[in-house]
Amino acid sequence: DAGVTQSPTHLIKTRGQQVTLRCSPISGHKSVSWYQQVLGQGPQFIFQYYEKEERGRGNFPDRFSARQFPNYSSELNVNALLLGDSALYLCASSPRGTAGTGELFFGEGSRLTVL
Amino acid sequence: GQNIDQPTEMTATEGAIVQINCTYQTSGFNGLFWYQQHAGEAPTFLSYNVLDGLEEKGRFSSFLSRSKGYSYLLLKELQMKDSASYLCALGGTGFQKLVFGTGTRLLVSP
């Protein structure tokens, strides 16, 4: 069975540009979460979507947005990129959307470098 | 808010036992998770504690004390492949969110 897949795996952008990252959850999983991991730190929560609705949002500026499609895949968009947005962006899926129950299954991530 | 503390780095020898501690301050959480992350790879789930006490899973065990705000991950019979970062995370309430610590980088030497 395929795990969580993310694309692209690596990308380089310049300041001020916009980026779209994509995630396909494990088949049957309806919840998708996005995390940002800066080098040397733990992942930081950005968004959770369940059944195509935003369930939670972390402490990130409005430049960050996301959506979930009818097939439960998801996109994360970041506008007006800053150097500090350089990080590994992780997508995680789960069969349930409820709080704190069960494990999250992470994809390999999209490594974004902003120059 | 929530605050999680873990040692930055630990070293151990192959075949030994190592305990990675995690202390936290929070107003509420549903459970405590441990994840393993090899360099350049995705975090993978190791264990989950809801109630106080010890959860054992093969070579890995995790302990939680809610009253003390304390957890640990115990790794036995260390192998070279256990060299990785170990992330302690609190499971949120209300919606599905994990708050991660900065992680403990474990280096296992021969």
Side-chain angles (χ1 to χ4, degrees):
Chain A
D1 285 342
V4 177
T5 57
Q6 293 186 243
S7 64
T9 53
H10 295 81
L11 67 166
I12 300 173
K13 294 285 188 177
T14 56
R15 280 178 297 176
Q17 284 190 312
Q18 176 263 342
V19 67
T20 297
L21 308 177
R22 296 175 177 84
C23 171
S24 292
I26 292 172
S27 178
H29 286 194
K30 298 180 179 179
S31 173
V32 169
S33 301
W34 288 94
Y35 288 78
Q36 180 196 64
Q37 187 173 26
V38 173
L39 197 63
Q41 300 293 316
Q44 190 172 359
F45 174 78
I46 310 175
F47 288 109
Q48 187 218 349
Y49 277 78
Y50 181 71
E51 288 281 18
K52 293 155 282 184
E53 290 187 2
E54 181 183 300
R55 286 294 188 90
R57 172 185 286 255
N59 189 24
F60 280 82
D62 291 343
R63 300 184 296 108
F64 288 76
S65 64
R67 55 181 175 168
Q68 187 177 33
F69 298 99
N71 66 352
Y72 303 110
S73 67
S74 178
E75 285 183 352
L76 175 70
N77 294 283
V78 187
N79 293 323
L81 284 167
L82 303 173
L83 295 180
D85 295 330
S86 295
L88 180 68
Y89 288 85
L90 294 163
C91 174
S93 78
S94 170
R96 293 172 294 275
T98 48
T101 55
E103 62 186 280
L104 295 183
F105 297 83
F106 284 89
E108 294 292 328
S110 294
R111 184 162 296 282
L112 171 65
T113 302
V114 182
L115 301 176
Chain B
Q2 294 172 310
N3 190 41
I4 300 170
D5 289 311
Q6 302 179 237
T8 304
E9 196 168 288
M10 299 181 69
T11 58
T13 307
E14 201 173 11
I17 300 173
V18 71
Q19 178 175 312
I20 302 174
N21 295 325
C22 170
T23 57
Y24 60 86
Q25 296 86 41
T26 180
S27 55
F29 70 104
N30 269 341
L32 191 141
F33 293 79
W34 284 95
Y35 279 80
Q36 179 192 60
Q37 187 176 27
H38 286 98
E41 297 183 12
T44 55
F45 171 80
L46 289 177
S47 70
Y48 173 56
N49 293 71
V50 176
L51 303 174
D52 284 4
L54 190 68
E55 293 282 341
E56 296 188 79
K57 218 182 199 184
R59 294 190 300 116
F60 295 80
S61 303
S62 59
F63 172 83
L64 174 64
S65 168
R66 286 179 175 263
S67 62
K68 292 185 168 62
Y70 169 68
S71 173
Y72 68 73
L73 179 70
L74 193 70
L75 293 80
K76 304 174 190 173
E77 301 168 16
L78 281 172
Q79 303 174 8
M80 298 295 289
K81 67 178 182 179
D82 296 329
S83 292
S85 284
Y86 291 85
L87 300 160
C88 171
L90 297 174
T93 59
F95 57 90
Q96 194 174 69
K97 167 187 173 181
L98 291 181
V99 176
F100 285 89
T102 55
T104 298
R105 193 168 62 187
L106 174 67
L107 179 62
V108 180
S109 57

